[in-house]
Amino acid sequence: MKIISRDETLEHLDAEATLVFILKQNFEHKWVDSGIDFKSMGFKAEAQQTFFDTHKKVLYYAIDTWNIDILRESCAKALKIMKSYTFSSFKCGIIDCKKEKNTESAIRAMIMGFLLGNYCFNSYKTKKDENKLEKIVFSLQTYHDKHVEEALFESINKEVNIISASVNFTRDLVNTIPQEATPIFLAQKAEKLAKELKLECKIEDENFLKEQMGAFYAVSRASVHPPRFIHLAYKPQKPQKTIAIVGKGLTYDSGGLSLKPADYMVTMKADKSGGCAAMGIIKAIAQMKLNVEIHSIIGATENMIGGDSFKPDDVLRAKNGKTIEVRNTDAEGRLVLCDCLCYAQDLKPDYIIDLATLTGACVVALGEYTTGVLGFDEKLKKRFLKSARHSGELAVSLPFNRHLRKLIDSKVADICNISSTRYGGALTAGLFLGEFIQEEYKNKWLHLDIAGPAYVEKEWDVNPFGASGAGVRMVIEFIKNLIKES
Ligand code: BES
Ligand code: ZN
Ligand code: ZN
């Protein structure tokens, strides 16, 4: 689907249908047909209420405030309605959210809402929902009669197309079933991406893991699908900064010998969401040609059961030599990540961000819409949260404190892979990772627990059923801001 702009007023644009947003209960606007008696038709323009004028083919969509997040979500929902009428094109104007400087954010939010809302994954349906929608035409006129420069619109359009395509790329990977999306499959996707975008790509197999990454290797052992360590790099000539993105890529998490109950196992194909996001992020940054060096490091493996499973009671040796007592094989993400984080630090980047569907505890704490942001540096967390807010993704800070560390003490090894209490599991998991961060990186590392938002079982915001691509937008925004500041 294409989004284009025209330097014409809304009524002069050529399209099959029109989308008009109206501010709650306010029918006084030139885009609203004054000849329609909306009230007698039962349309009071309450928030999120819609009315379709079948005669002129205009969809009226009421929103209660000119708010960027509501606008983005409403565009995603309006697009679905337009699709249900099987139009091949529709047109709309630009909503300026009162203050002039917000017009750019409004354009960005509207295009993002349309492109993310248009996503549909139907690879496994024999009868595909057909999508006739080919084109959305924007009038460069705003609601408040301002005129937007075409060049400005097109530069935003280009960037938002890249970012949303990366989110949708991530969604596709995560939605792919575990029998197909094996570690080798992810490695092949990484190689393909590298070829297309001229990235460096290094793939390591089980022999490398056995030698260097004892914790990651242990998790992978029982699977018939061999693991892959994936390292993609985007290297511009003189980068302003270097950032390592580390992603948990569990192509399936059965829990291992500490087997998950049946109901909890469903959706665990999405346990690769962090790794897939790491691929989506590097894809976008390379396409945007940002002057920042990016390393995407993905630990891809299954966590299965078998004669060769790692076990509760085992002691593993991570890349940095630390020993780990295993007491629960379902706390496997941290075992894969700790080795990948050691590797990431060896690259000497300026910042390290890991993304992982790490704990059910994070979902219990924050609900299914919000990412937990953890790390040792409050300032860095704050900066990240600001970027997240601008990106349209929800994220909050989860706080470490000095009492937590003792909960992951082990009597037989340097550290234990689970906490001795059942409370605060997102924090102790984050702190476990923190134990593998060297002193010089303590203030340069962030951990994003995306267990809540990564997989959507009831659609919300711009997310249809299935993978959401959580983390992609906020990390891209953070990186953009980082190089703007430096
Ligand atoms: N992949 C899960 C976490 C998860 C839960 C992600 C729900 C998405 C939705 C992770 O590997 C896991 O099983 N964690 C355990 C840790 C526990 C054994 C300390 C958990 O959260 O229960
Ligand atoms: Zn697990
Ligand atoms: Zn897991």
Side-chain angles (χ1 to χ4, degrees), residues 208-329:
F208 169 88
L209 298 186
K210 196 171 181 177
E211 250 172 49
Q212 302 214 19
M213 299 186 167
F216 182 172
Y217 178 66
V219 174
S220 77
R221 259 173 19 212
S223 173
V224 298
H225 301 295
R228 287 295 180 265
F229 171 85
I230 303 168
H231 176 187
L232 283 166
Y234 164 66
K235 293 182 173 173
Q237 296 262 305
K238 284 187 182 152
Q240 284 164 263
K241 286 274 185 284
T242 299
I243 300 166
I245 313 287
V246 177
K248 170 177 175 183
L250 263 286
T251 59
Y252 203 71
D253 180 13
S254 71
L257 288 179
S258 313
L259 195 64
K260 285 185 184 294
D263 288 350
Y264 288 72
M265 212 182 288
V266 184
T267 74
M268 279 304 137
K269 68 170 181 183
D271 215 21
K272 58 183 177 304
S273 297
C276 298
M279 278 166 62
I281 292 163
I282 198 166
K283 176 180 190 287
I285 302 291
Q287 287 176 331
M288 285 157 77
K289 300 194 169 72
L290 293 188
N291 190 27
V292 57
E293 183 169 315
I294 304 286
H295 295 268
S296 280
I297 294 149
I298 298 129
T301 178
E302 273 193 330
N303 183 22
M304 297 298 280
I305 51 173
D308 196 25
S309 287
F310 79 123
K311 311 164 187 73
D313 286 352
D314 270 340
V315 173
L316 316 175
R317 201 184 150 82
K319 191 172 189 309
N320 65 354
K322 273 203 186 184
T323 57
I324 306 163
E325 178 194 2
V326 177
R327 289 180 77 90
N328 189 317
T329 62

Side-chain angles (χ1 to χ4, degrees), residues 19-27 38-52 58-65 70 74 77-78 81:
L19 169 62
V20 171
F21 282 110
I22 41 182
L23 193 55
K24 197 171 150 188
Q25 294 158 354
N26 179 1
F27 295 91
F38 288 100
K39 288 194 181 126
S40 76
M41 316 276 273
F43 180 63
K44 296 195 200 117
E46 304 290 0
Q48 303 295 309
Q49 204 187 4
T50 57
F51 176 84
F52 187 64
V58 180
L59 175 67
Y60 292 97
Y61 195 118
I63 47 185
D64 57 355
T65 57
I70 292 173
S74 303
K77 295 194 167 143
I81 300 173

Side-chain angles (χ1 to χ4, degrees), residues 64-323:
D64 57 355
T65 57
W66 287 155
N67 163 296
I68 292 291
D69 296 308
I70 292 173
L71 188 58
R72 190 186 307 103
E73 173 176 346
S74 303
C75 283
K77 295 194 167 143
L79 177 130
K80 288 213 177 75
I81 300 173
M82 289 298 195
K83 268 164 103 173
S84 73
Y85 285 109
T86 69
F87 294 124
S88 69
S89 63
F90 70 85
K91 57 184 176 176
C92 63
I94 295 163
I95 307 300
D96 39 0
C97 296
K98 283 188 193 139
K99 289 184 204 132
E100 189 159 3
K101 67 169 194 243
N102 287 343
T103 305
E104 282 182 43
S105 336
I107 297 171
R108 179 172 276 284
M110 289 182 77
I111 301 176
M112 190 69 90
F114 288 139
L115 293 174
L116 293 181
N118 189 36
Y119 179 81
C120 169
F121 184 79
N122 54 19
S123 297
Y124 305 115
K125 293 264 193 196
T126 48
K127 193 169 169 284
K128 321 261 187 227
D129 293 340
E130 53 179 336
N131 183 2
K132 293 226 172 85
L133 192 62
E134 283 168 5
K135 186 170 78 172
I136 301 174
V137 194
F138 273 78
S139 159
L140 290 171
Q141 304 276 318
T142 76
Y143 189 91
H144 295 297
D145 282 335
K146 283 180 207 115
H147 176 265
V148 174
E149 287 302 323
E150 191 177 340
L152 174 69
F153 184 95
E154 286 311 325
S155 84
I156 298 172
N157 194 16
K158 191 170 163 212
E159 187 181 298
V160 178
N161 266 274
I162 291 174
I163 297 171
S164 58
S166 286
V167 174
N168 290 338
F169 165 88
T170 303
R171 287 169 166 180
D172 273 345
L173 287 179
V174 176
N175 281 326
T176 304
I177 55 168
Q179 195 56 21
E180 199 180 335
T182 60
I184 288 180
F185 173 95
L186 290 185
Q188 286 166 346
K189 290 282 178 189
E191 277 168 339
K192 185 162 170 258
L193 201 61
K195 220 171 169 185
E196 283 164 12
L197 298 172
K198 299 199 175 66
L199 310 175
E200 288 177 17
C201 181
K202 194 158 100 191
I203 311 277
E204 303 283 3
D205 65 9
E206 58 275 26
N207 298 316
F208 169 88
L209 298 186
K210 196 171 181 177
E211 250 172 49
Q212 302 214 19
M213 299 186 167
F216 182 172
Y217 178 66
V219 174
S220 77
R221 259 173 19 212
S223 173
V224 298
H225 301 295
R228 287 295 180 265
F229 171 85
I230 303 168
H231 176 187
L232 283 166
Y234 164 66
K235 293 182 173 173
Q237 296 262 305
K238 284 187 182 152
Q240 284 164 263
K241 286 274 185 284
T242 299
I243 300 166
I245 313 287
V246 177
K248 170 177 175 183
L250 263 286
T251 59
Y252 203 71
D253 180 13
S254 71
L257 288 179
S258 313
L259 195 64
K260 285 185 184 294
D263 288 350
Y264 288 72
M265 212 182 288
V266 184
T267 74
M268 279 304 137
K269 68 170 181 183
D271 215 21
K272 58 183 177 304
S273 297
C276 298
M279 278 166 62
I281 292 163
I282 198 166
K283 176 180 190 287
I285 302 291
Q287 287 176 331
M288 285 157 77
K289 300 194 169 72
L290 293 188
N291 190 27
V292 57
E293 183 169 315
I294 304 286
H295 295 268
S296 280
I297 294 149
I298 298 129
T301 178
E302 273 193 330
N303 183 22
M304 297 298 280
I305 51 173
D308 196 25
S309 287
F310 79 123
K311 311 164 187 73
D313 286 352
D314 270 340
V315 173
L316 316 175
R317 201 184 150 82
K319 191 172 189 309
N320 65 354
K322 273 203 186 184
T323 57

Side-chain angles (χ1 to χ4, degrees), residues 248 253 260 268 271 328 330-334 357-361 363 417-418 451:
K248 170 177 175 183
D253 180 13
K260 285 185 184 294
M268 279 304 137
D271 215 21
N328 189 317
D330 198 12
E332 86 298 338
R334 63 198 77 181
T357 45
L358 203 63
T359 64
V363 195
N417 87 322
I418 55 164

